[in-house]
Amino acid sequence: LWPLSRKLLPKQFVRLFGDKSLYQMTLERNANVCDSFMIVTGKDHYFLGLDQANELSQIFDINSFRFLLEPVGRNTAPAIALAAFGVDREEIIFVTPSDHLIKNLEGYKKSVMRACELAQEGFLVTFGIKPTYAETGYGYIEADGEDVISFKEKPDLETAKSYLSKNSSASMRYYWNSGMFCFKAGVYLGELEKHSPDIFKYAKSAYESREENGNIVKIDYDMMMQIPEDSIDYAVMEKSDKVKVVPSDFEWNDLGSFESLYNEIEKDSDGNTKADNAVLI
């Protein structure tokens, strides 16, 4: 989404829809399903995250927020591990990116509540979105009900089309991999230690050497760089035998391109997206 999304102003903080950013919309929709918030973000985005959360002060007590600041990104497996080390092992964590657009909030809440039930039973839970077209930019989950059969990498167009045709089966489905997860902190850390021990080891060391100031947790740069870089999908989800999926039918879009943004914005009679700062010729 460049140049809308840039290094110092990534898409989650851009006000793409009215006067609220995707980050603010993420906070709002989770206000009724989460007891507290931990914002894991790059150190350069702390004040953006704080200021935009403060704009929602009528909903939240910003003093209850915790910010975990990464000096450099090492992908999702280490980021989630650092967050998990900061809570009780029995705490249920709902992990959600802050740059997704989600509609049908009743369906969303229902899916999150079901994920919490499965997480309470000791499962690592992911959310599968029923695909509406053959998208090649998302990973897929092959599932039988709530049982995960396999994770699929981003497919080519023909493979994506074949997934949709196979969705006619009553017992087996293919879903978009939403990138949202739910589990007990201790279950995730246990599976991380089992399947990606180096990530666990160095993330634990990095967290133990953290600097805390009120509700801000800062991770040391050198300690962070020691952590192997990997996604939660590769490091844990594709290897664990404790994975479940919640098939979800709420509207979901991760807005990774102008094409996906176009699909979400109101059009005029000629099919042009409407925007206050656009000049149409």
Short mmCIF file of all heavy atoms in Angstrom, two decimals, residues 25 35 49 144 190 220 260:
data_model
loop_
_atom_site.label_atom_id
_atom_site.label_comp_id
_atom_site.label_asym_id
_atom_site.label_seq_id
_atom_site.Cartn_x
_atom_site.Cartn_y
_atom_site.Cartn_z
N MET A 25 -9.73 0.69 15.04
CA MET A 25 -10.88 -0.20 14.84
C MET A 25 -10.63 -1.57 15.47
O MET A 25 -11.55 -2.21 16.00
CB MET A 25 -11.16 -0.33 13.34
CG MET A 25 -11.63 0.97 12.70
SD MET A 25 -11.52 0.99 10.88
CE MET A 25 -12.85 -0.13 10.45
N ASP A 35 -9.97 -8.63 28.31
CA ASP A 35 -9.91 -7.95 29.60
C ASP A 35 -8.83 -6.88 29.64
O ASP A 35 -8.93 -5.91 30.40
CB ASP A 35 -9.63 -8.96 30.72
CG ASP A 35 -10.76 -9.97 30.86
OD1 ASP A 35 -11.92 -9.57 30.69
OD2 ASP A 35 -10.48 -11.15 31.12
N GLY A 49 1.02 4.62 18.48
CA GLY A 49 0.09 3.70 19.12
C GLY A 49 -0.53 4.29 20.36
O GLY A 49 -1.73 4.11 20.63
N ASP A 144 -11.07 -30.38 8.59
CA ASP A 144 -12.26 -31.21 8.70
C ASP A 144 -12.96 -30.78 9.97
O ASP A 144 -12.55 -31.16 11.06
CB ASP A 144 -11.88 -32.69 8.74
CG ASP A 144 -13.09 -33.61 8.76
OD1 ASP A 144 -14.23 -33.08 8.84
OD2 ASP A 144 -12.92 -34.83 8.69
N GLY A 190 5.22 -23.72 25.60
CA GLY A 190 5.64 -25.13 25.64
C GLY A 190 5.83 -25.71 24.26
O GLY A 190 6.81 -26.43 24.01
N ASP A 220 16.09 -5.22 24.56
CA ASP A 220 17.42 -4.80 24.12
C ASP A 220 17.68 -5.21 22.67
O ASP A 220 17.33 -6.32 22.25
CB ASP A 220 18.47 -5.43 25.03
CG ASP A 220 19.89 -5.07 24.62
OD1 ASP A 220 20.31 -3.94 24.86
OD2 ASP A 220 20.55 -5.97 24.03
N SER A 260 -7.27 -4.78 -2.83
CA SER A 260 -8.12 -5.15 -1.70
C SER A 260 -8.76 -3.91 -1.06
O SER A 260 -9.90 -3.95 -0.61
CB SER A 260 -7.31 -5.94 -0.66
OG SER A 260 -6.23 -5.18 -0.17
#
